[in-house]
């Protein structure tokens, strides 16, 4: 049977890889939603530009998408505070479900992308390993509000929901506020250009904390698995690469990939030290014959500062997804090398 995926947030770190993965599967058609739209792949991927914060635009743009069978919600609106994230991120999900339910009579599943914010991981040291059934924490928390909305809306319906909880996601997409691997790649490339060794810029305690990340390709496979497996219906799953690391061990290896020495850590805000680097970035593009990617498109500096500030363990138990049937894993060190190599192949970095 042909499935029709509506990927909501198709141009994100997560959405880009999900669209690619779905388009590689034999029995899926993909419709991608974002404000900026994208390049269609005839017969497989169609992009629709829509502002999901606008309920009328959402209803109009989605009114003809009657063949959608699966909604994959991976959209995100960034805001400066945790409290401010709630209203726009809940509104976008509600607008999509309000618009698609009345027209897509064959709707079978709504998949929700979450993260460790459900566990309070962004607030400070949290219980590790975090488990899907850990007790909740005080609001505001948009991930929790989104899940509650889906749980309530699904009652008595023919469709099911699932929720995915990745750690920090590694992917090679551009123009995203939360892209750690791209931030490391550009930080390393600029360090190399300036002839300085690669220093871990995070909090001193973050260098030795135990953490994990989630490859965007692995996450895409898990997302489709959860959306199509009866054993995963109406549940949430932690999805991780399957290995743990400390920056103290990985950082020198990442430096070596760029042909750099790793010097001792030095805490600094990347947002501050990168603020004057746009002219240098342009010079590097000319000198190395790079693509003309804007500095803004590769600047996830506040997010990188945030991740490098975690001076506490940051990991979850992902055995629930394995028990339910998802058995893929990715080696984290290799994941970073693969993303860096892809950025080099696309001439984003030298
Ligand atoms: N990145 C990570 O490391 C990470 C880790 C764990 C969990 N998560 C969670 O995963 C979810 C997705 O994250 P992400 O990093 O993939 O986000 P992202 O890179 O910022 O992508 C967000 C997507 O939403 C679209 N979008 C935003 N506002 C829109 C609007 N008004 N109308 C239509 N489309 C809109 C964006 O496209 P346009 O800008 O073109 O509209 C983009 O396609 C979030 O809930 C996030 O918290 C992310």
């Amino acid at each position: 049977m042909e499935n029709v995926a509506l990927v909501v947030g198709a141009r994100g770190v997560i959405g880009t890889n999900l669209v690619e993965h779905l388009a590689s599967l034999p029995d899926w058609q993909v419709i991608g939603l974002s404000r900026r739209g994208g390049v269609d792949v005839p017969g497989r991927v169609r992009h629709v530009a829509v502002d999901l914060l606008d309920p009328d635009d959402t209803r109009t743009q989605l009114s003809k998408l009657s063949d959608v069978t699966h909604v994959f919600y991976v959209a995100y609106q960034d805001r400066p505070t945790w409290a401010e994230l709630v209203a726009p991120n809940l509104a976008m999900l509600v607008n999509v479900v309000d618009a698609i339910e009345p027209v897509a009579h064959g709707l079978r599943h709504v998949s929700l992308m979450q993260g460790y914010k459900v566990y309070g991981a962004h607030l400070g040291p949290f219980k590790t390993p975090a488990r899907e059934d850990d007790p909740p924490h005080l609001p505001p928390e948009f991930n929790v509000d989104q899940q509650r909305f889906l749980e309530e809306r699904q009652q008595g319906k023919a469709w099911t929901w699932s929720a995915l909880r990745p750690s920090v996601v590694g992917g090679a997409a551009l123009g995203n506020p939360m892209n750690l691997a791209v931030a490391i790649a550009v930080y390393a490339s600029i360090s190399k250009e300036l002839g300085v060794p690669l220093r871990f810029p995070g909090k001193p305690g973050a260098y030795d904390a135990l953490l994990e990340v989630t490859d965007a390709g692995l996450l895409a496979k898990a997302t489709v698995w959860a959306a199509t497996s009866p054993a995963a219906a109406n549940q949430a799953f932690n999805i991780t690469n399957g290995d743990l690391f400390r920056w103290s061990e990985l950082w020198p290896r990442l430096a070596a990939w760029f042909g750099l020495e790793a010097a001792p850590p030095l805490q600094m805000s990347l947002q501050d030290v990168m603020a004057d680097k746009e002219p240098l970035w342009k010079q590097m593009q000319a000198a190395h014959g790079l693509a003309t990617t804007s500095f803004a498109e590769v600047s996830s500096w506040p997010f990188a500062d945030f991740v490098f500030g975690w001076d506490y363990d940051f990991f979850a138990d992902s055995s629930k997804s394995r028990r339910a049937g998802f058995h893929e894993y990715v080696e984290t060190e290799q994941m970073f090398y693969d993303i860096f190599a892809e950025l080099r192949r696309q001439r984003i970095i030298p």
Side-chain angles (χ1 to χ4, degrees), residues 7-16 33-37 48-54 57-58 73-78 85 88-89 92 112-117 142-143 146 164-170 173-180 214 219 303 307:
V7 178
V8 184
R11 297 296 303 275
V13 185
I14 294 173
T16 302
L33 303 183
S34 62
R35 285 164 303 182
R36 78 193 96 159
V48 176
V50 56
D51 181 1
L52 300 172
L53 285 173
D54 180 341
D57 189 31
T58 308
Y73 187 88
V74 293
Y76 176 70
Q77 272 275 321
D78 208 15
L85 284 171
N89 283 293
M92 291 199 298
L112 174 66
M113 191 56 60
Q114 301 183 306
Y116 291 6
K117 290 192 182 85
F142 77 91
N143 284 273
Q146 287 177 326
L164 295 306
R165 298 178 182 167
S167 183
V168 175
V169 175
L174 298 176
N176 312 102
M178 299 188 290
N179 196 326
L180 181 68
T214 305
L219 181 58
F303 182 65
V307 173

Side-chain angles (χ1 to χ4, degrees), residues 14 23-24 42 96 98 100 126 163 186 213 216 280 283 285 310 330 341:
I14 294 173
S24 76
V96 168
D98 278 351
I100 204 69
F126 62 107
V186 174
V213 293
L280 173 66
Q283 279 171 34
Q285 290 180 330
W310 294 336
V330 163

Side-chain angles (χ1 to χ4, degrees), residues 266-287:
L266 179 65
Q267 191 178 354
M268 64 185 116
S269 153
L270 290 179
Q271 193 174 5
D272 288 350
V273 298
M274 289 298 163
D276 67 348
K277 300 293 184 291
E278 186 164 5
L280 173 66
W281 179 245
K282 287 192 177 136
Q283 279 171 34
M284 286 167 62
Q285 290 180 330

